[in-house]
């Protein structure tokens, strides 16, 4: 098994078991109110809407990842007899992130972060408390007008140092990237990733960049979301 596939399988298994490993006791009230849907979205929870302080332009992706996306997109066009000899046209996605409470006091309120075209950089220190608890992270790629884009592919670029708690390993390591499309889309079709604040586990799970893209004739639809927590730089790679 290749190293990249080994890391990818570890990432998926880790996220799947994260809820079991660190979930606090359930609270009595975990209900959320809803508002009517917006365009093609399902019914959305009522929550405060904010914008990231930085855009995806502040994030540098590794050239091997960029080259892989461009090479696969050119192959996609070749298969459809739509050869391109010039540069690749990029269509920037809008990305919405919902942070919603699961239990405990990890979040003081539910928040929806609306990225500029192309994505953004989210400092979780702005939203996550130091109290014990859990929350969900749901990412939705959209076109203009908040029309959801389905059937996207996703790569994750890890920027979390590896940590050990007994036999349990957290963090995929610095600068490693791998495809997480199937797991990502399955989780986002529900409530999103389940993460917890115990031992700052959410930092090790989320620190890095999700590169979300889709191949279409009119261009390479792409956007990215980078997560970090400025309170715990020792857990990241910078």
């Amino acid at each position: 098994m290749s190293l990249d596939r080994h890391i990818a399988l570890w990432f998926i298994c880790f996220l799947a078991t994260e809820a079991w490993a660190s979930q606090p006791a359930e609270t009595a009230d975990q209900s959320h109110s809803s508002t009517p849907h917006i365009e093609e979205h399902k019914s959305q929870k009522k929550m405060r809407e904010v914008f990231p302080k930085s855009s995806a332009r502040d994030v540098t992706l590794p050239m091997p990842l960029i080259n892989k996306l461009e090479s696969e997109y050119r192959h996609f066009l070749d298969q459809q007899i739509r050869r391109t000899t010039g540069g690749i046209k990029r269509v920037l996605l809008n990305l919405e992130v919902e942070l919603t409470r699961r239990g405990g006091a990890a979040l003081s309120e539910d928040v929806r972060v609306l990225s500029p075209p192309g994505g953004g950089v989210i400092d979780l220190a702005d939203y996550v408390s130091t109290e014990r608890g859990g929350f969900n992270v749901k990412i939705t790629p959209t076109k203009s007008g908040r029309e959801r884009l389905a059937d996207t592919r996703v790569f994750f670029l890890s920027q979390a140092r590896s940590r050990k708690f007994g036999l349990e390993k957290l963090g995929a390591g610095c600068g490693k990237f791998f495809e997480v499309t199937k797991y990502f889309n399955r989780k986002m079709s529900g409530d999103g990733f389940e993460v917890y604040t115990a031992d700052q586990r959410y930092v090790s799970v989320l620190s890095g960049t999700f590169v979300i893209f889709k191949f279409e004739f009119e261009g390479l639809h792409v956007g990215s979301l980078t997560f970090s927590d400025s309170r715990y730089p020792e857990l990241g790679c910078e």
Side-chain angles (χ1 to χ4, degrees):
M1 180 181 296
S2 68
L3 178 60
D4 283 350
R5 178 156 178 79
H6 176 78
I7 294 170
L9 289 174
W10 172 86
F11 177 80
I12 292 170
C13 291
F14 168 73
L15 282 175
T17 59
E18 173 68 5
W20 177 87
S22 57
Q23 184 172 1
E26 294 289 337
T27 57
D29 182 10
Q30 293 185 343
S31 62
H32 299 285
S33 60
S34 297
T35 58
H37 72 279
I38 299 176
E39 295 190 7
E40 294 189 4
H41 278 263
K42 294 181 180 179
S43 182
Q44 291 189 333
K45 302 180 182 69
K46 183 178 181 180
M47 60 185 72
R48 182 167 63 96
E49 293 189 344
V50 299
F51 298 92
K53 296 177 181 178
S54 301
S55 74
R57 293 180 180 179
D58 298 320
V59 177
T60 301
L61 298 178
M63 284 307 301
L65 176 54
I66 294 174
N67 292 338
K68 181 177 180 61
L69 296 185
E70 292 184 347
S71 174
E72 290 190 13
Y73 181 60
R74 291 184 187 279
H75 179 66
F76 164 79
L77 293 178
D78 287 345
Q79 286 185 319
Q80 305 299 324
I81 318 178
R82 296 288 292 269
R83 296 180 182 275
T84 176
T85 57
I88 291 176
K89 179 181 178 181
R90 291 173 176 78
V91 181
L92 299 181
L93 295 176
N94 298 311
L95 300 171
E96 297 184 8
V97 182
E98 293 182 357
L99 306 177
T100 54
R101 293 164 289 184
R102 288 187 55 81
L107 303 177
S108 60
E109 62 179 338
D110 295 342
V111 176
R112 180 179 295 115
V113 185
L114 305 176
S115 80
V121 180
I122 298 176
D123 185 352
L124 293 168
D126 295 335
Y127 313 108
V128 182
S129 76
T130 57
E131 301 297 322
R132 187 181 179 90
F135 61 99
N136 286 88
V137 180
K138 185 169 183 176
I139 302 170
T140 303
T142 65
K143 296 182 178 180
S144 59
R146 297 178 109 174
E147 175 191 354
R148 181 169 183 172
L149 184 65
D151 301 322
T152 55
R153 290 176 59 190
V154 184
F155 277 83
F156 181 68
L157 169 63
S158 172
Q159 291 296 337
R161 297 183 184 278
S162 295
R163 295 194 288 159
K164 284 188 177 181
F165 292 87
L167 298 177
E168 185 180 12
K169 181 180 178 182
L170 301 180
C174 298
K176 297 185 171 88
F177 68 87
F178 36 86
E179 186 164 3
V180 293
T181 296
K182 290 183 179 179
Y183 184 77
F184 180 94
N185 287 335
R186 178 165 62 84
K187 297 299 286 186
M188 297 310 141
S189 67
D191 294 329
F193 297 132
E194 303 168 4
V195 292
Y196 296 89
T197 58
D199 302 311
Q200 293 80 50
R201 291 169 180 259
Y202 71 97
V203 179
S204 294
V205 173
L206 295 173
S207 287
T209 301
F210 289 91
V211 180
I212 302 169
F213 61 99
K214 184 175 183 179
F215 297 158
E216 292 191 346
F217 291 141
E218 66 267 26
L220 170 58
H221 293 254
V222 64
S224 69
L225 279 171
T226 298
F227 293 91
S228 66
D229 192 313
S230 58
R231 294 170 296 186
Y232 309 107
E234 71 278 5
L235 301 181
C237 298
E238 296 183 357

